[in-house]
Amino acid sequence: MAEPIVRRYEGNPILAPADIPYEVETVHNAGMAKYRGKYMMLFRAHKATGRCILGLAESDDGFRFTPRPEPFMVPATDGLFAEYEAFGVEDPRICEIDGEYLITYSAYSRHGVRIGLARTRDFESVERVALISQADMRNVVIFPQKFNGRYARLDRPHSEISPWSIWISYSEDLLYWGDSRVVMYPVKYHWDEMKIGPGATPIRTPQGWLHIYHGVFPTMDGAIYRLGVCLHDLNDPAKILSVCDRWILQPEHECEVTGYVHNVVFTCGAIAEDDGTIKLYWGGADKVMNVGVARIDRLVELCLNEGRPAL
Ligand code: BMA
């Protein structure tokens, strides 16, 4: 059998609700970062109310994680954030830039879903910075480098009119974002035809920014969430050099097929290693966290050799 693109860790799932020392029903869609040599996993967890909080677990090897005794971020209780996070906080991404860690997360309320930006320097205290989108935006992923002095982010507006596509926006101060344009479309009758969205914080490679995203396909049995990969130009991230035409990971393991929402693999984070591999982390069926290893050069080759245009 051919070597899988993403080799699943044999100990999956690596984190599950029963491992958490406080009440949670799910542990999934975690943003990832390396902090002082440790792997930090900022996971989303449903409470039994159906609303979500963010918890933190850490690891020395990227495979065996120890959860902190308390949640890391729960919905804010005062100010503007309290109003817009009232229904919960979800799907965090972490971007390390200028010595701090930016956390972008979905903030849910009766007003819809918008994106909150928080930051931490030490994974002990966390400070909310701003709400950086209106409704209805999700999956905001900030590039870990500025372009001509500006931050760049990928996002995915909800839209019933145009395809659910990936967009880019820029900001000088992280607060006000603009110069927005669409960079990638789903493709009809492909595995990602229904919608696509940014996934893990992009990883810099000599050939471009490697971006692992999710794509959704509707079936008579419900939607299937899979992961794909594309390559953004190193100096102009609005330019996607190529999108790999095939998925790189689909629900196969029992814990990806059955869980809180069936048939879902969903990533919010990956960690690049010095040996040319990445550790890719994904939520399985919106219930548990998994990890797998992939070679960066193989992912790049897949984009370049089995590619399709982005738009
Ligand atoms: C999306 C998001 C993800 C989730 C996925 C599958 O719309 O809500 O957080 O993993 O659906 O349920």
Side-chain angles (χ1 to χ4, degrees):
M1 208 172 84
E3 175 70 7
I5 300 169
V6 180
R7 175 167 284 285
R8 285 175 171 82
Y9 174 57
E10 59 280 4
N12 281 346
I14 52 170
L15 207 62
D19 302 325
I20 308 302
Y22 44 90
E23 182 270 318
V24 295
E25 305 299 316
T26 68
V27 170
H28 61 122
N29 299 6
M32 300 296 306
K34 257 312 210 4
Y35 168 67
R36 295 195 172 164
K38 282 200 181 240
Y39 295 78
M40 310 304 284
M41 176 187 279
L42 184 61
F43 59 85
R44 166 182 172 192
H46 283 88
K47 304 289 288 178
T49 56
R51 295 183 178 175
C52 292
I53 59 162
L54 305 182
L56 192 61
E58 51 196 291
S59 165
D60 291 323
D61 64 5
F63 297 105
R64 286 163 303 170
F65 282 81
T66 307
R68 295 259 179 99
E70 303 288 337
F72 188 69
M73 273 179 83
V74 296
T77 47
D78 51 33
L80 199 61
F81 287 94
E83 176 152 8
Y84 287 97
E85 293 178 6
F87 291 179
V89 288
E90 305 187 359
D91 294 3
R93 272 80 172 185
I94 307 175
C95 165
E96 183 185 0
I97 190 163
D98 297 339
E100 59 181 11
Y101 296 85
L102 303 174
I103 300 167
T104 45
Y105 60 96
S106 301
Y108 278 81
S109 72
R110 65 196 170 95
H111 310 302
V113 53
R114 60 191 304 201
I115 296 299
L117 172 69
R119 69 173 142 223
T120 181
R121 285 186 174 274
D122 54 10
F123 287 91
E124 294 295 337
S125 64
V126 59
E127 173 204 2
R128 277 157 172 94
V129 180
L131 290 151
I132 57 169
S133 77
Q134 298 172 319
D136 261 334
M137 190 71 81
R138 279 203 305 216
N139 304 309
V140 168
V141 170
I142 298 176
F143 280 85
Q145 183 193 297
K146 289 186 193 172
F147 301 90
N148 296 325
R150 298 193 300 176
Y151 296 93
R153 81 176 194 204
L154 301 171
D155 55 41
R156 210 287 308 287
H158 271 283
S159 170
E160 299 304 333
I161 301 169
S162 60
W164 302 42
S165 317
I166 296 179
W167 288 61
I168 196 165
S169 302
Y170 299 90
S171 174
E172 280 172 17
D173 58 6
L174 288 172
L175 306 180
Y176 299 97
W177 294 81
D179 198 8
S180 308
R181 73 194 85 155
V182 65
V183 295
M184 188 169 145
Y185 260 26
V187 171
K188 266 248 151 303
Y189 220 75
H190 261 227
W191 63 273
D192 56 357
E193 81 161 3
M194 185 175 158
K195 49 181 174 172
I196 54 175
T201 301
I203 288 166
R204 202 187 152 90
T205 77
Q207 292 87 357
W209 292 98
L210 197 65
H211 171 214
I212 297 172
Y213 71 100
H214 68 263
V216 187
F217 187 79
T219 75
M220 294 302 284
D221 193 29
I224 304 179
Y225 277 73
R226 299 184 172 101
L227 301 181
V229 62
C230 66
L231 206 56
H232 295 246
D233 186 271
L234 273 187
N235 302 314
D236 178 8
K239 195 160 122 198
I240 296 187
L241 304 173
S242 187
V243 182
C244 175
D245 205 30
R246 54 158 299 164
W247 67 70
I248 61 162
L249 191 78
Q250 69 157 348
E252 276 170 21
H253 193 281
E254 196 186 329
C255 74
E256 299 158 352
V257 171
T258 305
Y260 191 76
V261 179
H262 295 182
N263 288 319
V264 178
V265 292
F266 193 95
T267 187
C268 294
I271 302 284
E273 305 290 6
D274 293 338
D275 65 358
T277 64
I278 57 165
K279 285 191 180 68
L280 177 64
Y281 295 85
W282 65 90
D286 284 3
K287 179 98 189 241
V288 296
M289 276 307 297
N290 294 307
V291 63
V293 175
R295 291 204 56 82
I296 292 175
D297 55 5
R298 179 143 182 230
L299 294 174
V300 169
E301 273 166 33
L302 279 167
C303 292
L304 298 176
N305 300 338
E306 293 187 40
R308 70 175 200 221
L311 290 171

